[in-house]
Amino acid sequence: MAGRRSRRRHTLVLGTLAGAAAIPIGRRLLRGPARDGMAWLYRLVETGERYRRQVYQGMYLVGLTPWDRPGPNPRLVQALAELALPVGRALDIGCGTGSNSLYLAQQGWDVTGVDMVTKPLTIARGKAQAVGIPPRFVQGDVTRLGDLGIGGGYTLLVDSGCFHTIPMGQRDAYVASISSVAAPGSTLLLLSQFARPALRGGKSGVTRDEVARRFNGWELVTAEPMPTDSLPDSAVRAVEWFDIWHYQLRRRPAEPSRSGSEAMTGTRAPLA
Ligand SMILES: C[S@@+](CC[C@H](N)C(=O)[O-])C[C@H]1O[C@@H](n2cnc3c(N)ncnc32)[C@H](O)[C@@H]1O
């Protein structure tokens, strides 16, 4: 009886030790495939527009959405506190389930969120209804905002994790599209963008140089690496695998017209 009990204790101790050793080994073994899997997903979403939408749709359907957070992107909260912008119209570009839109609406902004996928928009509308605030959620392509009837004059544009997955061939259209609805002097926060060289074999992602070069009519105000502690838990490893950056841009004021009479109409003083 005593012998059986001691054998059981031995088995328990050995099992616990083996389990404890297996966890870090397993993690190490999985790190490569998991990172490659992430890069593979990003390669998928950078392919043709229709295919991308289906990929995103599938990811939302099965809940494979490591970017999704219950609350706003912490860098958005920080930027709003730092910039102290007067509230106006805000556009949440590729809004997903609307956490950033809701936060902005709660801060008094008149918010429009745009996404091409149905499911996150349904979730976003449900969340908005639950808290009784009304951001407008519109389904459509952010590279063709002119087709969506969302108006213009946006003084704050937020893109948390959308631009870096837009295929290279559509990026100029993205810039033209968001510029067409942005007020002169408006602020664009391009948050949580994967940097291209960090993506193994992928073409997506975005570098600081690309942001500075591609955003015609915008001034790149800040570019900063994302701190490791600001990712949602579900995506916390991503920061070990990829460089992730936040960018802040400012829409240049309209060029003065020849007569000078309409110059600066509707603009604000440059932001701090
Ligand atoms: C990485 S998710 C980020 C979602 C959200 N901003 C967040 O922080 O949770 C990127 C989102 O952009 C959307 N998206 C990508 N390309 C788009 C496009 N061309 N037009 C509209 N939405 C797009 C996707 O459907 C997805 O919801």
Side-chain angles (χ1 to χ4, degrees):
M1 184 74 175
R4 206 182 301 156
R5 218 179 280 149
S6 124
R7 253 202 316 278
R8 219 181 282 154
R9 204 174 305 137
H10 264 107
T11 314
L12 196 68
V13 170
L14 283 176
T16 308
L17 286 175
I23 290 169
I25 293 171
R27 272 207 191 128
R28 196 156 295 180
L29 287 176
L30 281 176
R31 195 166 292 168
R35 181 191 52 211
D36 291 346
M38 190 90 141
W40 180 81
L41 275 179
Y42 270 85
R43 276 205 290 283
L44 263 185
V45 296
E46 76 192 4
T47 52
E49 166 58 21
R50 209 164 136 225
Y51 193 24
R52 287 179 77 240
R53 191 154 64 82
Q54 285 160 347
V55 170
Y56 268 119
Q57 246 160 5
M59 289 166 89
Y60 276 111
L61 280 177
V62 301
L64 187 59
T65 52
W67 56 81
D68 199 24
R69 341 165 170 251
N73 187 319
R75 189 63 185 94
L76 171 62
V77 178
Q78 190 190 339
L80 284 191
E82 283 168 6
L83 296 171
L85 303 171
V87 293
R89 301 198 77 193
L91 181 65
D92 188 359
I93 304 164
C95 62
T97 64
S99 300
N100 293 325
S101 301
L102 284 189
Y103 179 73
L104 287 165
Q106 281 164 335
Q107 305 306 305
W109 290 82
D110 171 12
V111 185
T112 301
V114 176
D115 204 285
M116 63 181 175
V117 178
T118 316
K119 179 164 180 199
L121 291 175
T122 307
I123 296 172
R125 289 186 188 111
K127 289 202 282 196
Q129 225 169 4
V131 292
I133 43 165
R136 184 162 57 132
F137 291 109
V138 177
Q139 184 164 11
D141 183 350
V142 298
T143 67
R144 292 159 56 184
L145 291 170
D147 298 348
L148 304 182
I150 61 164
Y154 290 90
T155 52
L156 175 63
L157 299 92
V158 178
D159 173 329
S160 177
C162 177
F163 178 67
H164 66 161
T165 70
I166 298 281
M168 289 298 159
Q170 292 176 17
R171 291 191 176 184
D172 286 342
Y174 170 104
V175 175
S177 168
I178 63 149
S179 301
S180 72
V181 299
S186 54
T187 293
L188 166 62
L189 300 173
L190 279 181
L191 305 179
S192 306
Q193 308 286 329
F194 284 20
R196 181 149 29 114
L199 281 169
R200 289 153 46 109
K203 289 178 289 185
S204 60
V206 57
T207 60
R208 182 191 189 287
D209 284 353
E210 184 187 345
V211 173
R213 176 173 42 81
R214 201 184 283 277
F215 281 76
N216 261 331
W218 294 83
E219 175 196 352
L220 179 56
V221 181
T222 59
E224 68 198 55
M226 180 171 177
T228 47
D229 57 2
S230 62
L231 272 170
D233 287 349
S234 52
V236 87
R237 300 226 74 110
V239 85
E240 291 175 16
W241 302 332
F242 309 115
D243 290 336
I244 307 179
W245 285 69
H246 298 311
Y247 303 99
Q248 183 199 326
L249 298 94
R250 181 168 36 210
R251 183 90 174 116
R252 293 185 202 284
E255 291 286 316
S257 70
R258 256 181 216 138
S259 70
S261 59
E262 65 210 292
M264 308 297 286
T265 303
T267 60
R268 291 184 288 97
L271 305 170

Coordinates of all heavy atoms in Angstrom, one line a residue, residues 42 45 49 52-53 56-57 60 67-69 73 92-100 114-117 120 140-144 158-167 170 174, ligand 1:
Y42 N -0.8 37.5 -43.6 CA -0.7 38.8 -44.2 C -0.4 38.8 -45.7 O -0.8 39.6 -46.4 CB 0.4 39.6 -43.4 CG -0.3 40.3 -42.3 CD1 -0.5 39.7 -41.1 CD2 -0.8 41.6 -42.4 CE1 -1.2 40.3 -40.0 CE2 -1.5 42.2 -41.4 CZ -1.7 41.6 -40.2 OH -2.3 42.2 -39.2
V45 N -3.9 38.4 -47.1 CA -4.7 39.6 -47.2 C -4.2 40.7 -48.1 O -4.9 41.6 -48.4 CB -5.0 40.2 -45.8 CG1 -5.8 39.2 -44.9 CG2 -3.8 40.7 -45.1
E49 N -8.2 42.4 -54.3 CA -9.2 43.0 -53.4 C -10.4 42.0 -53.0 O -10.7 41.9 -51.8 CB -9.8 44.2 -54.1 CG -11.1 44.8 -53.5 CD -10.9 45.2 -52.1 OE1 -9.8 45.5 -51.6 OE2 -12.0 45.3 -51.4
R52 N -9.1 39.4 -50.7 CA -8.8 40.0 -49.4 C -10.0 40.0 -48.5 O -10.0 39.7 -47.3 CB -8.2 41.4 -49.5 CG -6.8 41.5 -50.0 CD -6.4 42.9 -50.1 NE -6.1 43.4 -48.8 CZ -6.7 44.5 -48.2 NH1 -7.7 45.1 -48.8 NH2 -6.3 44.9 -47.1
R53 N -11.1 40.5 -49.1 CA -12.3 40.7 -48.4 C -12.8 39.3 -47.9 O -13.2 39.2 -46.7 CB -13.4 41.3 -49.2 CG -14.6 41.7 -48.4 CD -15.3 42.9 -49.1 NE -15.9 42.5 -50.4 CZ -17.0 41.9 -50.5 NH1 -17.7 41.6 -49.5 NH2 -17.5 41.5 -51.7
Y56 N -10.5 38.3 -45.0 CA -10.9 39.0 -43.7 C -12.3 38.4 -43.2 O -12.5 38.2 -42.0 CB -11.1 40.5 -44.0 CG -9.8 41.2 -43.7 CD1 -9.1 41.9 -44.7 CD2 -9.3 41.2 -42.4 CE1 -8.0 42.6 -44.4 CE2 -8.1 41.9 -42.1 CZ -7.4 42.6 -43.1 OH -6.3 43.3 -42.8
Q57 N -13.2 38.2 -44.2 CA -14.5 37.7 -43.8 C -14.4 36.4 -43.0 O -14.9 36.2 -41.9 CB -15.4 37.4 -45.0 CG -16.6 38.3 -45.1 CD -17.1 38.4 -46.5 OE1 -16.7 37.7 -47.4 NE2 -18.1 39.2 -46.7
Y60 N -12.9 36.8 -39.5 CA -13.9 37.3 -38.6 C -14.9 36.2 -38.2 O -15.3 36.1 -37.1 CB -14.6 38.5 -39.1 CG -13.9 39.8 -38.9 CD1 -13.3 40.6 -39.9 CD2 -13.7 40.4 -37.6 CE1 -12.6 41.8 -39.7 CE2 -13.0 41.6 -37.3 CZ -12.5 42.2 -38.4 OH -11.8 43.4 -38.2
W67 N -6.0 41.2 -33.8 CA -5.9 42.6 -33.6 C -7.0 43.2 -32.7 O -7.0 44.3 -32.3 CB -5.9 43.3 -35.0 CG -7.1 43.0 -35.8 CD1 -8.4 43.5 -35.7 CD2 -7.2 41.9 -36.7 NE1 -9.2 42.9 -36.5 CE2 -8.6 41.9 -37.2 CE3 -6.3 41.0 -37.3 CZ2 -9.0 41.0 -38.2 CZ3 -6.8 40.2 -38.3 CH2 -8.1 40.2 -38.7
D68 N -8.1 42.4 -32.6 CA -9.4 43.0 -32.0 C -9.2 43.2 -30.5 O -8.7 42.3 -29.8 CB -10.5 42.0 -32.3 CG -11.8 42.6 -32.2 OD1 -11.9 43.8 -32.3 OD2 -12.8 41.9 -31.9
R69 N -9.6 44.4 -30.1 CA -9.6 44.6 -28.6 C -10.9 45.1 -28.1 O -11.6 45.8 -28.9 CB -8.6 45.7 -28.3 CG -7.5 46.1 -29.2 CD -6.9 47.4 -28.9 NE -5.7 47.6 -29.7 CZ -4.5 47.6 -29.2 NH1 -4.3 47.4 -28.0 NH2 -3.5 47.8 -30.1
N73 N -7.4 51.5 -29.1 CA -5.9 51.4 -29.2 C -5.3 52.4 -28.2 O -5.6 53.6 -28.3 CB -5.5 51.7 -30.7 CG -4.0 51.5 -30.9 OD1 -3.2 51.8 -30.1 ND2 -3.7 51.0 -32.1
D92 N -12.9 56.5 -38.9 CA -12.2 55.3 -38.4 C -12.1 54.4 -39.7 O -13.0 53.8 -40.1 CB -13.0 54.6 -37.3 CG -12.2 53.5 -36.6 OD1 -11.0 53.2 -37.1 OD2 -12.7 52.9 -35.7
I93 N -10.8 54.3 -40.2 CA -10.6 53.7 -41.5 C -10.3 52.2 -41.3 O -9.3 51.9 -40.6 CB -9.4 54.4 -42.2 CG1 -9.6 55.9 -42.3 CG2 -9.1 53.7 -43.5 CD1 -8.3 56.7 -42.6
G94 N -11.1 51.3 -41.8 CA -11.0 49.9 -41.5 C -11.3 49.7 -40.0 O -10.5 49.1 -39.3
C95 N -12.5 50.0 -39.7 CA -12.8 50.2 -38.2 C -13.0 48.8 -37.5 O -13.1 48.8 -36.3 CB -14.1 51.0 -38.1 SG -15.6 50.2 -38.8
G96 N -13.1 47.7 -38.2 CA -13.3 46.4 -37.6 C -14.5 46.4 -36.7 O -15.6 46.9 -37.1
T97 N -14.4 46.0 -35.4 CA -15.6 45.9 -34.5 C -15.8 47.2 -33.8 O -16.6 47.3 -32.9 CB -15.4 44.8 -33.5 OG1 -14.3 45.1 -32.7 CG2 -15.2 43.4 -34.2
G98 N -15.1 48.3 -34.2 CA -15.5 49.6 -33.8 C -15.1 50.1 -32.4 O -15.6 51.1 -32.0
S99 N -14.1 49.4 -31.8 CA -13.7 49.9 -30.5 C -13.1 51.3 -30.5 O -13.4 52.1 -29.6 CB -12.6 49.0 -29.9 OG -13.1 47.7 -29.8
N100 N -12.3 51.7 -31.6 CA -11.8 53.0 -31.7 C -12.9 54.0 -32.0 O -12.9 55.1 -31.4 CB -10.7 53.1 -32.7 CG -9.5 52.3 -32.3 OD1 -9.2 52.2 -31.1 ND2 -8.8 51.7 -33.3
V114 N -15.6 52.9 -41.3 CA -15.8 52.2 -42.5 C -15.0 50.9 -42.5 O -13.9 50.9 -42.1 CB -15.3 53.1 -43.7 CG1 -15.4 52.4 -45.0 CG2 -16.1 54.4 -43.8
D115 N -15.7 49.9 -42.9 CA -15.0 48.6 -43.1 C -15.7 47.8 -44.2 O -16.8 48.1 -44.5 CB -15.1 47.8 -41.8 CG -13.9 46.7 -41.7 OD1 -14.0 45.7 -42.4 OD2 -13.0 47.0 -41.0
M116 N -14.9 46.9 -44.9 CA -15.5 46.2 -46.0 C -16.2 44.9 -45.6 O -16.8 44.3 -46.5 CB -14.3 46.0 -47.0 CG -13.3 45.0 -46.5 SD -12.0 44.8 -47.8 CE -10.8 43.8 -46.9
V117 N -16.1 44.5 -44.4 CA -16.6 43.2 -44.0 C -17.9 43.4 -43.1 O -17.9 44.3 -42.2 CB -15.5 42.4 -43.2 CG1 -16.1 41.1 -42.7 CG2 -14.3 42.2 -44.1
P120 N -17.8 42.3 -38.6 CA -17.4 43.3 -37.6 C -18.3 44.5 -37.5 O -18.4 45.1 -36.4 CB -16.0 43.7 -38.0 CG -15.9 43.3 -39.4 CD -16.8 42.1 -39.6
G140 N -17.9 49.4 -46.9 CA -17.3 49.8 -48.2 C -15.8 49.8 -48.2 O -15.2 49.4 -47.2
D141 N -15.3 50.1 -49.3 CA -13.8 50.1 -49.6 C -13.2 51.4 -49.2 O -13.6 52.4 -49.8 CB -13.6 49.7 -51.0 CG -12.2 49.5 -51.4 OD1 -11.3 49.9 -50.6 OD2 -11.9 49.1 -52.5
V142 N -12.2 51.4 -48.3 CA -11.6 52.7 -47.9 C -10.8 53.3 -49.0 O -10.4 54.5 -49.0 CB -10.8 52.6 -46.6 CG1 -11.6 52.1 -45.5 CG2 -9.6 51.6 -46.8
T143 N -10.5 52.5 -50.1 CA -9.7 53.1 -51.2 C -10.7 53.8 -52.2 O -10.3 54.4 -53.1 CB -8.9 52.1 -52.0 OG1 -9.8 51.2 -52.7 CG2 -8.0 51.3 -51.1
R144 N -12.0 53.8 -51.9 CA -13.0 54.4 -52.7 C -14.1 55.1 -51.8 O -15.3 54.9 -52.0 CB -13.7 53.4 -53.7 CG -12.6 52.9 -54.7 CD -13.0 51.6 -55.3 NE -14.3 51.6 -55.9 CZ -14.8 50.6 -56.5 NH1 -14.2 49.4 -56.4 NH2 -16.0 50.7 -57.0
V158 N -8.4 58.1 -38.3 CA -7.6 57.0 -37.6 C -7.6 55.7 -38.4 O -8.7 55.3 -38.8 CB -8.3 56.8 -36.2 CG1 -7.6 55.7 -35.4 CG2 -8.4 58.1 -35.4
D159 N -6.5 55.2 -38.5 CA -6.3 53.9 -39.2 C -5.5 53.0 -38.3 O -4.3 53.2 -38.1 CB -5.6 54.1 -40.5 CG -5.3 52.7 -41.2 OD1 -5.0 51.7 -40.5 OD2 -5.3 52.7 -42.5
S160 N -6.2 52.1 -37.6 CA -5.4 51.2 -36.7 C -5.3 49.9 -37.3 O -6.3 49.1 -37.3 CB -6.2 51.1 -35.3 OG -5.6 50.2 -34.5
G161 N -4.2 49.6 -38.0 CA -3.9 48.3 -38.6 C -4.5 48.0 -39.9 O -4.6 46.8 -40.3
C162 N -5.0 49.0 -40.7 CA -5.6 48.7 -42.0 C -4.6 49.0 -43.1 O -4.4 48.1 -43.9 CB -6.9 49.6 -42.1 SG -7.7 49.4 -43.7
F163 N -4.0 50.2 -43.1 CA -3.2 50.6 -44.3 C -2.1 49.5 -44.6 O -1.8 49.3 -45.8 CB -2.6 51.9 -44.1 CG -1.7 52.4 -45.2 CD1 -2.2 52.7 -46.5 CD2 -0.3 52.5 -45.1 CE1 -1.4 53.0 -47.5 CE2 0.5 52.8 -46.2 CZ -0.1 53.1 -47.4
H164 N -1.5 49.0 -43.6 CA -0.3 48.1 -43.9 C -0.7 46.8 -44.6 O 0.1 46.1 -45.1 CB 0.5 47.8 -42.6 CG -0.3 46.9 -41.6 ND1 0.3 46.2 -40.6 CD2 -1.6 46.7 -41.4 CE1 -0.6 45.6 -39.9 NE2 -1.7 45.9 -40.4
T165 N -2.0 46.5 -44.7 CA -2.4 45.3 -45.4 C -3.0 45.7 -46.8 O -3.4 44.8 -47.6 CB -3.5 44.5 -44.7 OG1 -4.8 45.2 -44.7 CG2 -3.1 44.2 -43.2
I166 N -3.1 47.0 -47.1 CA -3.6 47.4 -48.4 C -2.6 47.0 -49.5 O -1.4 47.3 -49.3 CB -3.9 48.9 -48.5 CG1 -4.9 49.3 -47.4 CG2 -4.2 49.4 -49.9 CD1 -6.4 49.1 -47.8
P167 N -3.0 46.3 -50.5 CA -2.0 45.9 -51.6 C -1.3 47.1 -52.1 O -1.9 48.2 -52.3 CB -2.8 45.2 -52.6 CG -4.1 44.8 -51.9 CD -4.3 45.8 -50.9
Q170 N -2.9 49.4 -54.6 CA -4.1 50.2 -54.2 C -3.7 51.3 -53.2 O -4.6 52.0 -52.7 CB -5.1 49.3 -53.5 CG -5.7 48.3 -54.5 CD -6.7 47.4 -53.9 OE1 -7.1 47.6 -52.7 NE2 -7.0 46.3 -54.5
Y174 N -5.7 54.6 -51.9 CA -6.1 54.8 -50.5 C -5.8 56.3 -50.1 O -6.6 57.0 -49.5 CB -5.3 53.8 -49.6 CG -5.3 54.1 -48.1 CD1 -6.1 53.2 -47.3 CD2 -4.6 55.0 -47.5 CE1 -6.2 53.4 -45.9 CE2 -4.6 55.2 -46.1 CZ -5.4 54.4 -45.4 OH -5.4 54.6 -44.0
Ligands
LIG1 C1 -6.2 44.5 -38.8 S1 -7.9 44.9 -38.9 C2 -8.0 46.2 -37.8 C3 -9.4 46.5 -37.4 C4 -9.6 47.7 -36.4 N1 -9.1 48.9 -36.9 C5 -9.0 47.4 -35.1 O1 -8.1 48.1 -34.6 O2 -9.5 46.5 -34.4 C6 -8.0 45.6 -40.5 C7 -9.4 46.0 -40.9 O3 -9.4 46.7 -42.1 C8 -10.4 46.3 -42.9 N2 -10.0 46.5 -44.3 C9 -8.9 46.1 -44.9 N3 -8.9 46.6 -46.2 C10 -10.0 47.4 -46.3 C11 -10.5 48.1 -47.4 N4 -9.9 48.2 -48.6 N5 -11.7 48.8 -47.2 C12 -12.3 48.7 -46.0 N6 -11.9 48.0 -45.0 C13 -10.7 47.3 -45.1 C14 -10.5 44.8 -42.6 O4 -11.8 44.3 -42.9 C15 -10.3 44.8 -41.1 O5 -11.5 44.9 -40.3

